[in-house]
Amino acid sequence: EIQKKENVKIRIIAQPDNPSLTRVLLKGYWRENMEIEQIICLDDSNQSNHNISVIASLLPLLQGDVSYQAYYYYDNQKAHINVMSLTPILILLDDYIVYCNISMNECLIVRDSVEYEFYARQYEQMKMKAELLTEGGKVLNKSLDSLCPVYSGEEQYIYIGFSPCLAACMTPDLLRRHLVMPEETKELFINAVMSNRKLMEKQSLHNIFTEEGFRMLIEKGTTGEYPSELYLPLEETERSIVIRQMIQHGKEGKLKLHMTNRQYLDLDTKLCIYVSGNQGVSFVKWKEGGQVQSFTVNEISIKRTFFDFLDFANENGWLYSQEDTISRMEKIFGEYHYKRQHLKAAE
């Protein structure tokens, strides 16, 4: 009966680290017209790193085909989870109330308008006291916010991507020549890039990328920062200009460059992560068919975890130091340039 409806809204009070619940939601074959809201509890202890694993449990829903929003409140999470309750999962589905045990193998389904209205009212009151944890969804990849988040202030930022931050080293003329998008969007994008570049002069951007992504830029003029449909690859002479500019920015400290040590850390070729102390953590995943999955997590301990990770990765060899990164970039670029010169001479 519910699956025949044009629009289905599901409201849930449950912790996200429950694989059974996630499987049920993603396997529902009404998912194309399904809207999900979930209220979760995050730990209120400043010493706890458990919140990052809780957020990780949301990723299947955030990256799926459903419309999903999560809200959070702080509490003693262990006390909340270990409370003696036979049915700790509450689901409001259309005009049904579903009480589930923790393993999701037994449930009680109630269809009573008075009882449903009571729980729906309690849910909305709880939601009003909670904060929005995630925002975003599946959008057209012409969305400017997904292409180039606009930064503000003098705080520290982290950009994590397969390739180094190409836009930070492009001139307005190069951007106009290579971007494939409507003129109005193109100009807005260029303005956002130029605005973000001013922050680099205050040494505020940490850029984490892979050696493979850097080689891809050198050899093909392509990047994992944007989907291939939105730009034309750089010509060889243009690549040289951009890469030299990138290395110079690194030497001057305008860009804090960190190449990953592939022995310990690998990055997704189509995933970009933007971390801002004030604006949250944005995840942008490029997909086929002109789509991008983009969502932002607004929660202070999650933001702090990424900055802690940067320190941990540097201290434990997961990332090369800024000096070693620049040295490796110069060596790789020099070897490629030398090889190209010999090939041209042979021709």
Side-chain angles (χ1 to χ4, degrees), residues 181-196:
M181 59 180 66
E183 288 301 318
E184 184 179 352
T185 305
K186 186 184 294 187
E187 290 305 314
L188 289 171
F189 178 86
I190 293 170
N191 290 337
V193 169
M194 294 301 108
S195 174
N196 289 344

Side-chain angles (χ1 to χ4, degrees), residues 11-162:
R11 291 175 286 183
I12 304 168
I13 299 177
Q15 290 305 99
D17 46 355
N18 187 317
S20 298
L21 177 59
T22 302
R23 282 196 298 270
V24 168
L25 294 172
L26 289 177
K27 283 185 178 180
Y29 53 81
W30 60 78
R31 63 187 182 191
E32 291 296 334
N33 62 343
M34 185 166 63
E35 181 183 345
I36 301 173
E37 285 184 359
Q38 183 171 1
I39 298 176
I40 69 174
C41 174
L42 293 180
D43 199 84
D44 59 2
S45 170
N46 290 329
Q47 284 72 45
S48 175
N49 287 323
H50 181 65
N51 288 342
I52 190 69
S53 63
V54 173
I55 302 302
S57 301
L58 298 175
L59 294 179
L61 287 166
L62 288 165
Q63 294 180 350
D65 292 326
V66 297
S67 172
Y68 178 82
Q69 296 281 21
Y71 297 82
Y72 73 97
Y73 65 94
Y74 289 111
D75 202 348
N76 184 324
Q77 196 177 72
K78 289 184 179 178
H80 172 79
I81 296 171
N82 295 332
V83 66
M84 186 175 290
S85 174
L86 298 177
T87 55
I89 297 173
L90 173 69
I91 301 174
L92 300 176
L93 174 59
D94 202 50
D95 54 353
Y96 291 89
I97 308 166
V98 184
Y99 306 94
C100 302
N101 66 352
I102 193 67
S103 58
M104 291 286 292
N105 59 6
E106 288 187 276
C107 70
L108 176 65
I109 301 175
V110 177
R111 192 179 192 184
D112 180 276
S113 59
V114 176
E115 191 168 347
Y116 180 86
E117 287 176 10
F118 170 79
Y119 279 104
R121 187 167 60 251
Q122 295 300 311
Y123 176 93
E124 292 302 323
Q125 290 176 2
M126 192 173 183
K127 178 181 168 182
M128 288 176 64
K129 297 177 182 178
E131 297 286 341
L132 181 65
L133 177 63
T134 59
E135 54 184 328
K138 188 166 62 176
V139 296
L140 290 173
N141 63 18
K142 293 186 173 108
S143 167
L144 183 63
D145 290 340
S146 299
L147 294 172
C148 184
V150 179
Y151 300 137
S152 60
E154 298 183 16
E155 57 181 319
Q156 294 290 301
Y157 298 90
I158 303 174
Y159 166 63
I160 304 173
F162 182 73

Side-chain angles (χ1 to χ4, degrees), residues 104-318:
M104 291 286 292
N105 59 6
E106 288 187 276
C107 70
L108 176 65
I109 301 175
V110 177
R111 192 179 192 184
D112 180 276
S113 59
V114 176
E115 191 168 347
Y116 180 86
E117 287 176 10
F118 170 79
Y119 279 104
R121 187 167 60 251
Q122 295 300 311
Y123 176 93
E124 292 302 323
Q125 290 176 2
M126 192 173 183
K127 178 181 168 182
M128 288 176 64
K129 297 177 182 178
E131 297 286 341
L132 181 65
L133 177 63
T134 59
E135 54 184 328
K138 188 166 62 176
V139 296
L140 290 173
N141 63 18
K142 293 186 173 108
S143 167
L144 183 63
D145 290 340
S146 299
L147 294 172
C148 184
V150 179
Y151 300 137
S152 60
E154 298 183 16
E155 57 181 319
Q156 294 290 301
Y157 298 90
I158 303 174
Y159 166 63
I160 304 173
F162 182 73
S163 304
C165 186
L166 178 61
C169 304
M170 296 277 282
T171 65
D173 287 341
L174 278 175
L175 288 168
R176 287 190 184 94
R177 199 179 307 156
H178 288 274
L179 290 173
V180 180
M181 59 180 66
E183 288 301 318
E184 184 179 352
T185 305
K186 186 184 294 187
E187 290 305 314
L188 289 171
F189 178 86
I190 293 170
N191 290 337
V193 169
M194 294 301 108
S195 174
N196 289 344
R197 185 174 296 177
K198 292 178 182 177
L199 293 172
M200 285 171 33
E201 298 174 1
K202 299 172 182 176
Q203 305 179 17
S204 57
L205 178 62
H206 293 268
N207 182 198
I208 299 175
F209 61 95
T210 67
E211 179 179 322
E212 292 82 359
F214 181 61
R215 289 184 181 276
M216 183 174 74
L217 174 59
I218 292 174
E219 296 169 6
K220 301 178 181 178
T222 57
T223 176
E225 195 172 356
Y226 307 109
S228 57
E229 302 97 329
L230 291 185
Y231 72 94
L232 302 172
L234 294 173
E235 300 293 336
E236 188 170 352
T237 54
E238 295 170 330
R239 294 177 228 163
S240 296
I241 293 170
V242 169
I243 291 166
R244 287 192 175 97
Q245 184 70 65
M246 188 181 295
I247 292 172
Q248 186 60 34
H249 282 335
K251 289 180 176 179
E252 294 173 356
K254 293 180 179 179
L255 264 177
K256 298 181 185 298
L257 300 167
H258 307 270
M259 185 181 287
T260 62
N261 183 338
R262 55 181 150 184
Q263 183 179 351
Y264 301 108
L265 184 61
D266 198 12
L267 299 178
D268 191 306
T269 59
K270 294 184 178 181
L271 176 65
C272 301
I273 303 174
Y274 303 88
V275 186
S276 161
N278 286 337
Q279 295 161 275
V281 183
S282 297
F283 298 82
V284 179
K285 176 80 171 183
W286 303 116
K287 291 191 165 188
E288 302 297 330
Q291 297 287 333
V292 56
Q293 194 76 31
S294 173
F295 59 90
T296 299
V297 177
N298 304 299
E299 199 277 324
I300 189 167
S301 69
I302 306 303
K303 304 172 194 175
R304 188 169 56 237
T305 298
F306 275 91
F307 286 98
D308 291 343
F309 167 76
L310 181 60
D311 293 335
F312 170 86
N314 276 313
E315 291 170 4
N316 290 273
W318 290 24

